[in-house]
Amino acid sequence: MFMSKIIVLIGAPGAGKGTQARLLESRLGIPQISTGDMFREMKKADTPLAKEVQKIMSSGKLVPDAVTYEMVKARTSRDDCHGTFTLDGFPRTAVQAEMLETLSKELGKPVVAINIDVPVEILERRLTGRRSCPVCGEIYNIYFKAPKRKGFCDDHPEAELEQRSDDTEEKVKVRLETYEENTKPLLAYYRKSGRLETVNGDRDAEAIYKELESLIGTANATV
Ligand code: AP5
């Protein structure tokens, strides 16, 4: 029987966590819980917290652990998280990993961490080249997946493609440094407890997905 799990996708910015989490959701019905998406939604509000989140995100640094955990806890208590769900972008610090151990025990679901490994020079081009359509959300890349007409969505010719404010060269550098310093050490943490799987993320998204799909069914899920 398929036991409910918490799938943690770990990887540097641009590794493809969001891409794979969305595939798991659309094809297997496993909900994608993306802290980055939730923060991007949150920062639209006109509150002091939203303004603070906006400032932190556009600097490329991390939102405080307590704020992040409160949001994850609230989201994962919703009905669609009764079974397996994917955490895309959480945990990102040692403190968040501890918080997740508590949540895992409370929910009775073991954690399976999957590292999507991509060389840094590829990450830089994936991020600085990323553009998205403000209407349909379609993601393009000026280096790897350019739109037919430069700067505009293929399906919405009136819609000018947008760049995320943290996808500039300068912010990408900070995000990659933040990952090295705060998040990369989590790989050793999960490896030590036998809960880490690593996939080569420098491949076609479909090939990565196929490997993830089989890992999710077989990974050692004992806490
Ligand atoms: P978040 O939105 O999580 O950003 P990130 O980790 O920097 O991740 P990205 O979305 O940029 O990359 P990804 O790995 O999801 O790759 P994607 O699939 O999009 O976080 C943003 C900010 O929010 C953080 O900087 C922080 O401030 C805050 N935050 C979030 N979580 C937090 C936490 N837990 N604690 C504190 N603060 C937090 O793909 C990237 C690009 O590559 C796309 O163009 C895509 O099309 C392309 N691509 C993907 N896969 C492939 C492939 N196989 N081949 C070719 N191209 C590919």
Side-chain angles (χ1 to χ4, degrees):
M1 203 180 89
F2 190 86
M3 182 190 186
S4 292
K5 299 168 190 168
I6 301 176
I7 301 162
V8 169
L9 294 184
I10 307 188
K17 305 179 294 294
T19 301
Q20 295 301 326
R22 279 191 292 277
L23 287 173
L24 290 171
E25 181 168 271
S26 64
R27 297 184 186 176
L28 298 181
I30 298 176
Q32 172 201 16
I33 314 298
S34 159
T35 43
D37 286 351
M38 287 192 281
F39 282 136
R40 273 184 286 281
E41 199 48 46
M42 182 195 272
K43 73 183 189 184
K44 291 180 191 160
D46 187 18
T47 63
L49 179 61
K51 288 196 172 71
E52 181 64 15
V53 166
Q54 156 95 50
K55 208 167 114 193
I56 296 169
M57 284 179 84
S58 44
S59 75
K61 301 227 165 100
L62 297 177
V63 177
D65 292 329
V67 174
T68 307
Y69 184 57
E70 201 181 308
M71 187 177 71
V72 169
K73 203 164 153 47
R75 176 64 187 86
T76 55
S77 68
R78 282 171 33 190
D79 285 353
D80 63 337
C81 292
H82 276 159
T84 294
F85 57 84
T86 303
L87 291 176
D88 158 14
F90 181 91
R92 266 172 141 104
T93 65
V95 172
Q96 290 182 13
E98 282 303 320
M99 289 165 156
L100 180 59
E101 299 298 2
T102 307
L103 187 67
S104 156
K105 288 195 181 86
E106 279 173 14
L107 298 177
K109 295 182 208 293
V111 169
V112 176
I114 303 180
N115 169 31
I116 305 180
D117 190 34
V118 178
V120 73
E121 59 280 6
I122 306 271
L123 296 171
E124 281 162 358
R125 284 162 74 85
R126 281 191 187 177
L127 295 170
T128 57
R130 174 165 54 186
R131 303 288 185 276
S132 65
C133 171
V135 178
C136 64
E138 181 64 24
I139 295 177
Y140 296 89
N141 189 291
I142 60 168
Y143 303 113
F144 308 122
K145 191 190 164 202
K148 291 188 188 112
R149 181 175 155 227
K150 192 179 171 194
F152 291 87
C153 179
D154 292 348
D155 297 326
H156 300 91
E158 74 293 353
E160 201 166 343
L161 299 181
E162 292 177 343
Q163 183 177 29
R164 250 169 67 170
S165 65
D166 59 353
D167 273 350
T168 60
E169 216 171 297
E170 179 199 354
K171 304 293 168 52
V172 164
K173 188 168 176 285
V174 177
R175 285 162 67 198
L176 291 171
E177 284 166 2
T178 304
Y179 170 78
E180 285 290 320
E181 192 180 326
N182 298 280
T183 312
K184 205 172 177 187
L186 298 185
L187 299 179
Y189 173 80
Y190 286 114
R191 188 176 297 117
K192 222 167 143 184
S193 53
R195 291 178 291 170
L196 184 74
E197 303 287 343
T198 294
V199 298
N200 171 7
D202 184 15
R203 288 179 295 165
D204 177 73
E206 278 299 327
I208 302 166
Y209 174 76
K210 285 274 166 269
E211 194 177 345
L212 282 186
E213 204 183 42
S214 73
L215 279 176
I216 287 163
T218 57
N220 174 9
T222 313
V223 176

